[in-house]
Amino acid sequence: MKINDNTNISLPLRNLIALCVAVGLGIIGYTELTARLTSLETSRELHQADLLKKSEQLPTDQEQFMLLEHIASQVESIQGEMELMRNNNVNITYAMKDIEKIKESLEKIKDKVRANGSHWWNRWL
């Protein structure tokens, strides 16, 4: 069989249409697959770039973050102590009022003893 530009090929029309449709579907499938791969590769590259950018911290930045964490823990403990001091302040105020009442009572007792003119220890002598 000799093939040249005058060679005739007989092919049913439905086979020709099926062949064209198959080639078209193959081209569309390849294009979609290539676009999806490109999209995934771009997404991966962007993600890696973000991770690298976030991991590039200078030692001074790391030190500052550590200091901030330490200071935050100190602030929390100071807040706890201040809560306790508020309660102590209420207790101290209440105790001061009681002490003032005791002073007043003691002064009244002293005045009664002075009014009697004798001290209790003189009775025992």
Side-chain angles (χ1 to χ4, degrees):
M1 177 183 230
K2 293 186 177 183
I3 298 176
N4 60 25
D5 55 343
N6 292 329
T7 304
N8 290 330
I9 298 177
S10 66
L11 184 65
L13 186 60
R14 64 184 164 137
N15 289 351
L16 180 63
I17 292 173
L19 187 63
C20 290
V21 168
V23 169
L25 288 175
I27 291 172
I28 290 173
Y30 177 78
T31 304
E32 289 294 321
L33 183 65
T34 305
R36 180 69 178 147
L37 285 174
T38 303
S39 171
L40 290 173
E41 287 176 350
T42 302
S43 175
R44 184 181 57 113
E45 292 295 324
L46 290 174
H47 184 67
Q48 284 180 344
D50 285 345
L51 288 176
L52 287 174
K53 197 178 280 185
K54 288 180 182 176
S55 69
E56 292 174 357
Q57 294 179 351
L58 299 175
T60 54
D61 291 340
Q62 292 173 346
E63 184 178 352
Q64 288 173 354
F65 289 135
M66 288 174 56
L67 286 172
L68 284 173
E69 288 177 7
H70 177 68
I71 289 171
S73 66
Q74 285 182 335
V75 166
E76 288 175 3
S77 67
I78 289 171
Q79 285 176 340
E81 289 178 19
M82 288 183 67
E83 288 294 325
L84 290 174
M85 284 199 272
R86 286 183 195 146
N87 293 336
N88 287 343
N89 189 21
V90 170
N91 292 337
I92 289 171
T93 304
Y94 184 73
M96 291 297 289
K97 289 178 183 177
D98 287 345
I99 290 171
E100 289 298 321
K101 288 178 185 177
I102 292 170
K103 279 184 181 179
E104 290 173 7
S105 298
L106 186 59
E107 288 297 322
K108 288 179 183 178
I109 293 171
K110 281 183 185 179
D111 290 342
K112 285 182 183 178
V113 170
R114 288 182 191 145
N116 290 337
S118 64
H119 296 289
W120 60 274
W121 57 84
N122 289 335
R123 293 183 189 169
W124 297 101
L125 296 175

